[in-house]
Coordinates of all heavy atoms in Angstrom, one line a residue:
M1 N 74.6 128.7 -42.2 CA 74.6 127.4 -41.3 C 73.3 127.4 -40.6 O 73.0 128.2 -39.7 CB 75.8 127.5 -40.4 CG 76.3 126.2 -40.0 SD 78.0 126.3 -39.6 CE 77.9 125.8 -37.8
T2 N 72.6 126.2 -40.8 CA 71.4 126.0 -40.0 C 71.5 124.8 -39.2 O 72.3 123.9 -39.4 CB 70.2 125.8 -41.0 OG1 70.5 124.7 -41.9 CG2 69.9 127.0 -41.9
S3 N 70.7 124.8 -38.1 CA 70.8 123.7 -37.1 C 70.2 122.4 -37.6 O 70.4 121.4 -37.1 CB 70.3 124.1 -35.7 OG 68.9 124.5 -36.0
D4 N 69.3 122.5 -38.6 CA 68.7 121.3 -39.1 C 69.4 120.7 -40.3 O 68.8 120.0 -41.2 CB 67.2 121.5 -39.4 CG 67.0 122.6 -40.4 OD1 68.0 123.2 -40.9 OD2 65.8 122.8 -40.8
D5 N 70.7 121.1 -40.6 CA 71.4 120.6 -41.6 C 71.7 119.1 -41.4 O 72.1 118.6 -40.4 CB 72.8 121.3 -41.6 CG 73.8 120.8 -42.8 OD1 73.4 120.0 -43.4 OD2 74.9 121.4 -42.8
K6 N 71.3 118.3 -42.4 CA 71.4 116.9 -42.2 C 72.8 116.3 -41.9 O 72.9 115.3 -41.2 CB 70.9 116.2 -43.5 CG 69.3 115.8 -43.4 CD 69.0 114.8 -44.5 CE 67.8 113.9 -44.2 NZ 67.8 112.8 -44.9
S7 N 73.8 117.0 -42.5 CA 75.1 116.5 -42.2 C 75.6 116.7 -40.8 O 76.6 116.2 -40.4 CB 76.0 117.2 -43.3 OG 76.1 118.5 -42.9
S8 N 74.8 117.5 -40.1 CA 75.3 117.7 -38.6 C 74.6 116.7 -37.7 O 74.9 116.7 -36.5 CB 74.8 119.1 -38.2 OG 73.4 119.1 -38.0
L9 N 73.9 115.6 -38.2 CA 73.4 114.6 -37.3 C 74.5 113.7 -36.8 O 75.4 113.5 -37.5 CB 72.3 113.7 -38.1 CG 71.1 114.3 -38.5 CD1 70.3 113.5 -39.4 CD2 70.2 114.7 -37.3
P10 N 74.4 113.2 -35.6 CA 75.4 112.3 -35.0 C 75.4 111.0 -35.8 O 74.4 110.6 -36.3 CB 75.0 112.1 -33.6 CG 74.0 113.1 -33.3 CD 73.4 113.5 -34.6
K11 N 76.5 110.4 -36.0 CA 76.7 109.2 -36.7 C 77.4 108.2 -36.0 O 78.3 108.5 -35.1 CB 77.5 109.4 -38.1 CG 76.7 110.3 -39.1 CD 77.5 110.4 -40.3 CE 76.9 111.2 -41.5 NZ 76.6 112.5 -41.1
C12 N 77.2 106.9 -36.2 CA 78.0 105.8 -35.6 C 79.2 105.7 -36.5 O 79.5 106.3 -37.5 CB 77.1 104.5 -35.6 SG 76.9 103.8 -37.3
R13 N 80.1 104.6 -36.2 CA 81.4 104.6 -36.8 C 81.2 104.1 -38.3 O 82.1 104.1 -39.1 CB 82.3 103.7 -36.0 CG 81.7 102.2 -35.8 CD 82.8 101.3 -35.1 NE 82.3 100.0 -34.8 CZ 82.3 99.5 -33.7 NH1 82.9 100.1 -32.6 NH2 81.8 98.3 -33.5
C14 N 80.0 103.5 -38.6 CA 79.8 103.1 -40.0 C 79.3 104.3 -40.8 O 79.2 104.2 -42.0 CB 78.8 101.9 -40.1 SG 78.3 101.0 -38.8
G15 N 79.0 105.4 -40.2 CA 78.6 106.6 -40.9 C 77.0 106.6 -41.1 O 76.6 107.5 -41.8
H16 N 76.3 105.8 -40.3 CA 74.9 105.9 -40.4 C 74.3 107.0 -39.4 O 74.7 107.0 -38.3 CB 74.2 104.5 -40.1 CG 74.7 103.4 -40.9 ND1 74.9 102.1 -40.5 CD2 75.2 103.5 -42.3 CE1 75.4 101.4 -41.5 NE2 75.6 102.1 -42.6
D17 N 73.4 107.7 -39.8 CA 72.7 108.6 -38.9 C 71.3 108.0 -38.6 O 70.9 107.0 -39.1 CB 72.7 110.1 -39.3 CG 71.9 110.3 -40.6 OD1 71.0 109.5 -40.9 OD2 72.3 111.1 -41.4
R18 N 70.5 108.8 -37.9 CA 69.2 108.2 -37.4 C 68.3 108.0 -38.5 O 67.2 107.3 -38.4 CB 68.6 109.1 -36.4 CG 68.2 110.4 -36.8 CD 67.5 111.2 -35.7 NE 67.1 112.5 -36.2 CZ 67.5 113.6 -35.6 NH1 68.3 113.6 -34.5 NH2 67.2 114.8 -36.2
T19 N 68.5 108.6 -39.8 CA 67.5 108.4 -40.8 C 67.9 107.2 -41.6 O 67.1 106.7 -42.6 CB 67.6 109.6 -41.8 OG1 68.9 109.7 -42.4 CG2 67.3 110.9 -41.0
H20 N 69.0 106.5 -41.4 CA 69.4 105.3 -42.1 C 68.6 104.1 -41.8 O 68.1 104.0 -40.7 CB 70.9 105.0 -41.7 CG 71.5 104.1 -42.8 ND1 71.4 102.6 -42.6 CD2 72.2 104.3 -43.9 CE1 72.0 102.1 -43.7 NE2 72.5 103.0 -44.4
H21 N 68.2 103.2 -42.8 CA 67.4 102.1 -42.6 C 68.0 101.1 -41.6 O 67.3 100.2 -41.2 CB 66.9 101.5 -43.9 CG 67.9 100.8 -44.7 ND1 68.9 101.4 -45.5 CD2 68.3 99.5 -44.7 CE1 69.7 100.6 -46.1 NE2 69.4 99.4 -45.6
L22 N 69.3 101.1 -41.5 CA 69.8 100.1 -40.5 C 69.9 100.6 -39.1 O 70.3 99.9 -38.2 CB 71.3 99.8 -40.9 CG 71.6 98.8 -42.0 CD1 73.0 98.7 -42.4 CD2 71.0 97.4 -41.6
V23 N 69.3 101.8 -38.9 CA 69.2 102.4 -37.4 C 67.8 102.3 -37.0 O 66.9 102.7 -37.6 CB 69.8 103.8 -37.6 CG1 69.6 104.5 -36.2 CG2 71.2 103.9 -38.0
S24 N 67.6 101.7 -35.8 CA 66.4 101.7 -35.2 C 66.3 102.6 -34.0 O 67.2 102.7 -33.2 CB 66.0 100.3 -34.8 OG 66.8 99.3 -35.3
A25 N 65.1 103.1 -33.7 CA 64.9 103.9 -32.6 C 64.4 103.1 -31.5 O 63.4 102.4 -31.7 CB 63.9 105.0 -33.0
E26 N 65.0 103.0 -30.4 CA 64.5 102.2 -29.2 C 63.9 103.1 -28.2 O 64.6 104.0 -27.6 CB 65.7 101.5 -28.7 CG 66.3 100.5 -29.6 CD 67.4 99.8 -29.0 OE1 67.7 100.0 -27.8 OE2 67.9 98.8 -29.7
P27 N 62.6 103.0 -28.0 CA 62.0 103.9 -26.9 C 62.4 103.6 -25.5 O 62.6 102.4 -25.2 CB 60.5 103.8 -27.2 CG 60.4 102.4 -27.8 CD 61.7 102.1 -28.5
E28 N 62.4 104.7 -24.7 CA 62.7 104.3 -23.3 C 61.6 105.0 -22.5 O 61.3 106.0 -22.8 CB 64.1 105.0 -22.9 CG 64.5 104.5 -21.5 CD 66.0 105.0 -21.3 OE1 66.8 104.6 -22.0 OE2 66.2 105.8 -20.4
Y29 N 61.1 104.3 -21.5 CA 59.9 104.7 -20.7 C 60.3 104.9 -19.2 O 61.2 104.4 -18.8 CB 58.8 103.7 -20.8 CG 58.4 103.4 -22.2 CD1 58.9 102.3 -22.9 CD2 57.4 104.3 -22.9 CE1 58.5 102.0 -24.2 CE2 57.0 104.0 -24.2 CZ 57.6 102.8 -24.8 OH 57.2 102.6 -26.1
T30 N 59.4 105.7 -18.5 CA 59.6 105.8 -17.2 C 59.2 104.4 -16.5 O 58.5 103.6 -17.2 CB 58.7 106.9 -16.6 OG1 57.3 106.6 -16.9 CG2 59.1 108.2 -17.2
F31 N 59.5 104.2 -15.2 CA 59.0 103.0 -14.6 C 57.5 102.7 -14.8 O 57.0 101.8 -15.1 CB 59.5 102.9 -13.2 CG 59.2 101.7 -12.4 CD1 59.7 100.5 -12.8 CD2 58.2 101.7 -11.4 CE1 59.4 99.3 -12.2 CE2 57.8 100.6 -10.7 CZ 58.4 99.3 -11.2
G32 N 56.8 103.9 -14.4 CA 55.4 103.8 -14.5 C 55.0 103.6 -16.0 O 53.9 102.9 -16.2
G33 N 55.7 104.0 -16.9 CA 55.3 103.9 -18.3 C 55.5 102.4 -18.7 O 54.6 101.8 -19.4
Y34 N 56.5 101.7 -18.2 CA 56.7 100.2 -18.4 C 55.5 99.5 -17.9 O 55.0 98.5 -18.5 CB 58.0 99.8 -17.8 CG 59.2 100.0 -18.6 CD1 60.2 100.9 -18.2 CD2 59.4 99.4 -19.9 CE1 61.3 101.1 -19.0 CE2 60.5 99.8 -20.7 CZ 61.4 100.6 -20.2 OH 62.6 100.9 -20.9
L35 N 55.0 99.8 -16.7 CA 53.9 99.2 -16.1 C 52.6 99.3 -16.9 O 52.0 98.3 -17.2 CB 53.6 99.8 -14.7 CG 54.7 99.5 -13.6 CD1 54.3 100.1 -12.2 CD2 54.9 97.9 -13.4
L36 N 52.4 100.5 -17.4 CA 51.3 100.8 -18.2 C 51.3 99.9 -19.6 O 50.4 99.4 -20.0 CB 51.1 102.2 -18.7 CG 50.6 103.1 -17.5 CD1 50.8 104.7 -17.7 CD2 49.2 102.8 -17.1
L37 N 52.5 99.8 -20.1 CA 52.8 99.1 -21.3 C 52.4 97.6 -21.1 O 51.8 97.0 -21.9 CB 54.3 99.2 -21.7 CG 54.7 100.3 -22.6 CD1 56.2 100.2 -22.9 CD2 53.9 100.5 -23.9
L38 N 52.8 97.1 -19.9 CA 52.4 95.7 -19.6 C 51.0 95.4 -19.5 O 50.4 94.5 -19.8 CB 53.0 95.3 -18.2 CG 54.6 95.2 -18.2 CD1 55.0 95.0 -16.8 CD2 55.0 94.0 -19.1
L39 N 50.2 96.6 -19.2 CA 48.7 96.5 -19.2 C 48.1 96.7 -20.6 O 47.0 96.7 -20.7 CB 48.2 97.6 -18.3 CG 48.6 97.5 -16.7 CD1 48.3 98.6 -15.9 CD2 48.0 96.1 -16.2
G40 N 49.0 97.0 -21.5 CA 48.5 97.2 -23.0 C 48.1 98.7 -23.3 O 47.5 98.9 -24.3
V41 N 48.6 99.6 -22.3 CA 48.3 100.9 -22.6 C 49.3 101.6 -23.5 O 50.6 101.3 -23.2 CB 48.1 101.7 -21.3 CG1 47.8 103.2 -21.4 CG2 47.1 101.1 -20.4
T42 N 49.0 102.4 -24.4 CA 50.0 103.1 -25.2 C 50.5 104.3 -24.5 O 49.9 105.1 -24.0 CB 49.4 103.6 -26.5 OG1 48.8 102.5 -27.2 CG2 50.4 104.2 -27.5
V43 N 51.8 104.3 -24.3 CA 52.5 105.3 -23.5 C 53.5 105.9 -24.4 O 54.2 105.3 -25.3 CB 53.3 104.6 -22.3 CG1 53.7 105.6 -21.3 CG2 52.5 103.6 -21.5
K44 N 53.7 107.2 -24.1 CA 54.6 108.0 -24.8 C 56.0 107.8 -24.2 O 56.2 107.9 -22.9 CB 54.3 109.5 -24.8 CG 54.6 110.2 -26.1 CD 54.1 111.5 -26.1 CE 54.4 112.1 -27.5 NZ 53.9 113.5 -27.7
P45 N 57.1 107.5 -24.9 CA 58.4 107.3 -24.3 C 58.9 108.7 -23.9 O 58.5 109.7 -24.4 CB 59.2 106.7 -25.4 CG 58.4 106.7 -26.7 CD 57.0 107.1 -26.3
I46 N 59.8 108.6 -22.9 CA 60.5 109.8 -22.4 C 61.8 110.1 -23.3 O 62.1 111.2 -23.2 CB 60.9 109.8 -20.9 CG1 61.5 108.4 -20.6 CG2 59.6 109.9 -20.1 CD1 62.4 108.7 -19.3
K47 N 62.2 109.1 -24.0 CA 63.5 109.2 -24.7 C 63.5 108.2 -25.8 O 63.0 107.1 -25.7 CB 64.6 108.9 -23.6 CG 66.0 109.3 -24.0 CD 67.0 108.6 -23.2 CE 67.5 109.6 -22.1 NZ 68.6 109.0 -21.3
L48 N 64.2 108.6 -26.7 CA 64.5 107.6 -27.8 C 66.0 107.4 -28.0 O 66.8 108.4 -27.9 CB 64.0 108.1 -29.2 CG 62.5 108.2 -29.5 CD1 62.2 108.7 -30.9 CD2 61.9 106.7 -29.4
K49 N 66.4 106.1 -28.1 CA 67.8 105.8 -28.4 C 68.0 105.3 -29.8 O 67.2 104.4 -30.2 CB 68.2 104.7 -27.3 CG 68.2 105.2 -25.9 CD 68.7 104.3 -24.9 CE 67.6 103.1 -24.9 NZ 67.9 102.0 -23.9
Y50 N 68.9 105.8 -30.5 CA 69.1 105.4 -31.9 C 70.3 104.4 -31.9 O 71.3 104.7 -31.6 CB 69.4 106.5 -32.9 CG 68.2 107.5 -33.0 CD1 68.0 108.6 -32.1 CD2 67.1 107.1 -33.9 CE1 66.9 109.4 -32.3 CE2 66.1 107.9 -34.0 CZ 65.9 109.0 -33.3 OH 64.8 109.8 -33.4
R51 N 69.9 103.2 -32.3 CA 71.0 102.1 -32.4 C 71.1 101.7 -33.8 O 70.2 101.4 -34.5 CB 70.5 100.9 -31.5 CG 71.5 99.8 -31.4 CD 71.0 98.4 -31.0 NE 70.4 98.5 -29.7 CZ 71.2 98.3 -28.6 NH1 72.5 98.0 -28.8 NH2 70.7 98.3 -27.4
C52 N 72.4 101.6 -34.1 CA 72.8 101.0 -35.5 C 72.9 99.5 -35.4 O 73.5 98.9 -34.5 CB 74.3 101.5 -35.9 SG 74.9 100.7 -37.3
R53 N 72.1 98.8 -36.2 CA 71.9 97.4 -36.1 C 73.2 96.7 -36.8 O 73.4 95.5 -36.7 CB 70.7 96.9 -36.9 CG 69.5 97.4 -36.2 CD 68.3 96.6 -36.6 NE 67.9 96.5 -37.9 CZ 67.2 97.5 -38.6 NH1 66.7 98.5 -37.9 NH2 66.9 97.4 -39.9
Q54 N 74.1 97.5 -37.4 CA 75.3 97.0 -38.1 C 76.4 96.8 -37.0 O 77.0 95.8 -36.8 CB 75.7 97.8 -39.2 CG 76.8 97.2 -40.0 CD 77.1 97.8 -41.4 OE1 76.2 97.9 -42.2 NE2 78.3 98.2 -41.6
C55 N 76.7 97.9 -36.3 CA 77.8 97.9 -35.3 C 77.2 97.8 -33.9 O 77.9 97.8 -32.9 CB 78.6 99.1 -35.5 SG 77.8 100.6 -35.2
D56 N 75.8 97.8 -33.7 CA 75.3 97.6 -32.4 C 75.7 98.7 -31.4 O 75.9 98.4 -30.3 CB 75.5 96.2 -31.8 CG 74.6 95.7 -30.8 OD1 73.4 96.1 -30.9 OD2 74.9 95.1 -29.8
T57 N 75.7 99.9 -31.9 CA 76.0 101.0 -31.1 C 74.9 102.0 -31.0 O 74.2 102.3 -32.0 CB 77.3 101.7 -31.8 OG1 78.3 100.8 -31.8 CG2 77.6 102.9 -30.9
I58 N 74.6 102.5 -29.7 CA 73.7 103.6 -29.6 C 74.6 104.9 -29.7 O 75.5 105.1 -28.9 CB 73.0 103.5 -28.2 CG1 72.1 102.3 -28.2 CG2 72.2 104.8 -27.9 CD1 71.4 102.0 -26.8
F59 N 74.3 105.7 -30.7 CA 75.1 106.9 -31.0 C 74.3 108.1 -30.8 O 75.0 109.3 -30.8 CB 75.6 106.8 -32.4 CG 74.7 106.6 -33.5 CD1 74.1 107.8 -34.1 CD2 74.2 105.5 -33.9 CE1 73.2 107.7 -35.1 CE2 73.2 105.3 -34.8 CZ 72.7 106.5 -35.4
E60 N 73.1 108.0 -30.5 CA 72.2 109.3 -30.3 C 71.1 109.0 -29.3 O 70.5 107.9 -29.6 CB 71.8 109.9 -31.6 CG 71.2 111.3 -31.5 CD 70.6 111.9 -32.8 OE1 70.7 111.1 -33.8 OE2 70.2 113.0 -32.7
T61 N 70.8 109.9 -28.5 CA 69.5 109.8 -27.7 C 68.9 111.2 -27.8 O 69.6 112.2 -28.0 CB 69.8 109.4 -26.3 OG1 70.7 110.5 -25.7 CG2 70.4 108.2 -26.1
T62 N 67.6 111.1 -27.8 CA 66.8 112.4 -28.0 C 65.7 112.4 -26.9 O 65.1 111.3 -26.7 CB 66.3 112.7 -29.4 OG1 65.7 113.9 -29.3 CG2 65.3 111.7 -29.8
T63 N 65.3 113.5 -26.4 CA 64.1 113.7 -25.7 C 63.2 114.7 -26.4 O 62.2 115.2 -25.8 CB 64.4 114.2 -24.2 OG1 65.3 115.4 -24.3 CG2 65.2 113.2 -23.5
D64 N 63.5 115.0 -27.6 CA 62.7 115.9 -28.4 C 61.3 115.4 -28.7 O 61.2 114.4 -29.4 CB 63.4 116.2 -29.8 CG 62.7 117.2 -30.6 OD1 61.6 117.5 -30.4 OD2 63.5 117.8 -31.5
P65 N 60.3 116.0 -28.2 CA 58.9 115.5 -28.2 C 58.4 115.3 -29.7 O 57.6 114.5 -30.0 CB 58.1 116.5 -27.5 CG 58.9 117.6 -27.0 CD 60.3 117.3 -27.4
K66 N 59.0 116.2 -30.6 CA 58.6 116.1 -32.1 C 59.2 114.8 -32.6 O 58.4 114.0 -33.3 CB 59.2 117.2 -32.8 CG 58.3 118.4 -32.8 CD 58.8 119.4 -33.9 CE 60.0 120.1 -33.4 NZ 60.5 121.2 -34.3
L67 N 60.4 114.3 -32.2 CA 60.9 113.1 -32.8 C 60.2 111.8 -32.1 O 59.9 110.9 -32.6 CB 62.4 113.0 -32.5 CG 63.3 114.0 -33.4 CD1 64.7 114.0 -32.8 CD2 63.2 113.5 -34.8
I68 N 60.0 112.0 -30.8 CA 59.4 110.9 -30.0 C 57.9 110.7 -30.5 O 57.5 109.6 -30.8 CB 59.3 111.2 -28.6 CG1 60.8 111.2 -28.0 CG2 58.4 110.3 -27.8 CD1 60.9 111.6 -26.5
G69 N 57.2 111.8 -30.8 CA 55.8 111.7 -31.2 C 55.8 111.1 -32.6 O 54.8 110.4 -32.9
G70 N 56.9 111.2 -33.4 CA 56.9 110.6 -34.7 C 56.9 109.1 -34.7 O 56.8 108.4 -35.7
Q71 N 57.4 108.6 -33.6 CA 57.5 107.1 -33.4 C 56.3 106.4 -33.1 O 56.2 105.2 -33.2 CB 58.5 106.8 -32.3 CG 59.9 107.2 -32.6 CD 60.4 106.4 -33.9 OE1 60.3 105.3 -33.8 NE2 61.1 107.2 -34.7
I72 N 55.1 107.0 -32.9 CA 54.0 106.4 -32.4 C 52.9 106.4 -33.6 O 52.8 107.4 -34.2 CB 53.3 107.0 -31.2 CG1 54.4 106.7 -30.1 CG2 52.0 106.4 -30.8 CD1 54.0 107.3 -28.7
Ligands
ZN101 ZN1 77.0 101.5 -37.3

């Protein structure tokens, strides 16, 4: 049993996990991060929220820098 087993990823009620094409990652920034974004500066999010576009549910959030870094 390994922790990176794909079947252990959280899923929404339609059964989509974060690798599904109907699931989008929504970045969340600190307040200062939002201000920098308004200035056009690229900021690293502090958190990613995975939302299924079919059922409109956020079913997973992550603060894993490896996953966050992959979004930029
Ligand atoms: Zn869903």
Side-chain angles (χ1 to χ4, degrees):
M1 204 155 117
T2 55
S3 58
D4 59 1
D5 182 358
K6 266 194 148 201
S7 63
S8 67
L9 289 173
K11 292 180 174 66
C12 69
R13 62 174 174 234
C14 343
H16 302 148
D17 64 32
R18 66 172 179 243
T19 64
H20 194 276
H21 68 274
L22 276 175
V23 175
S24 337
E26 300 181 353
E28 192 170 299
Y29 302 95
T30 58
F31 180 66
Y34 280 115
L35 290 180
L36 287 170
L37 278 179
L38 289 174
L39 297 171
V41 178
T42 304
V43 192
K44 214 173 186 181
I46 50 160
K47 194 196 260 187
L48 285 180
K49 296 179 291 185
Y50 293 95
R51 182 198 296 274
C52 172
R53 297 201 298 276
Q54 189 167 305
C55 60
D56 201 35
T57 300
I58 292 171
F59 58 91
E60 187 183 4
T61 60
T62 184
T63 54
D64 186 337
K66 273 191 290 187
L67 289 171
I68 290 174
Q71 289 299 311
I72 296 181

